[in-house]
Amino acid sequence: QVQLVESGGGLVQAGGSLRLSCAASGRTFSLFAMGWFRQAPGKEREFVAGIMLSGGNTRYADSVKGRFTISRDNAKNTVYLQMNSLKPEDTAVYYCAATYGYSYYLSNEYNYWGQGTQVTVSS
């Protein structure tokens, strides 16, 4: 089992920045990738960014490219999401997830999920 705990959400004005953290514990040694997803009210959960834990390859949704950066610190079993130039449409609950699978941009590929952290961007 793997446990994921997110932190770093909050309220920020448009154009501001936030950094989310996701600490993983448990049987993390065989994980292939971790990612961030988000779900806004009335909308489906969507992929935001993912990172391979070995090698560090990354993938982003088009809507966040150039504004968000995902990174990892394998020594701390922690993944980060740096969010810059935030927009009101980025408002959502952000979820950290971990997968043993290769298609780490697909939500149904993920095996473990965090509890979510709210990000609210005011205009």
Side-chain angles (χ1 to χ4, degrees), residues 34-108:
M34 292 180 67
W36 289 95
F37 291 76
R38 66 187 182 187
Q39 187 167 19
K43 295 188 177 181
E44 293 188 354
R45 184 169 56 193
E46 64 174 354
F47 172 77
V48 175
I51 186 166
M52 292 172 55
L53 297 180
S54 178
N57 286 11
T58 59
R59 187 160 179 165
Y60 296 92
D62 289 342
S63 59
V64 306
K65 279 181 183 176
R67 301 188 298 123
F68 291 11
T69 302
I70 189 170
S71 61
R72 91 266 193 235
D73 183 334
N74 287 346
K76 296 182 178 179
N77 288 330
T78 299
V79 171
Y80 305 96
L81 184 68
Q82 178 66 43
M83 305 185 294
N84 298 329
S85 302
L86 282 160
K87 304 175 181 180
E89 52 263 42
D90 294 317
T91 295
V93 177
Y94 283 70
Y95 296 91
C96 174
T99 178
Y100 302 116
Y102 298 135
S103 299
Y104 59 97
Y105 52 92
L106 298 175
S107 63
N108 58 9

Side-chain angles (χ1 to χ4, degrees), residues 98-121:
T99 178
Y100 302 116
Y102 298 135
S103 299
Y104 59 97
Y105 52 92
L106 298 175
S107 63
N108 58 9
E109 190 78 358
Y110 281 78
N111 305 96
Y112 303 102
W113 294 84
Q115 80 286 356
T117 186
Q118 177 70 46
V119 171
T120 302
V121 185

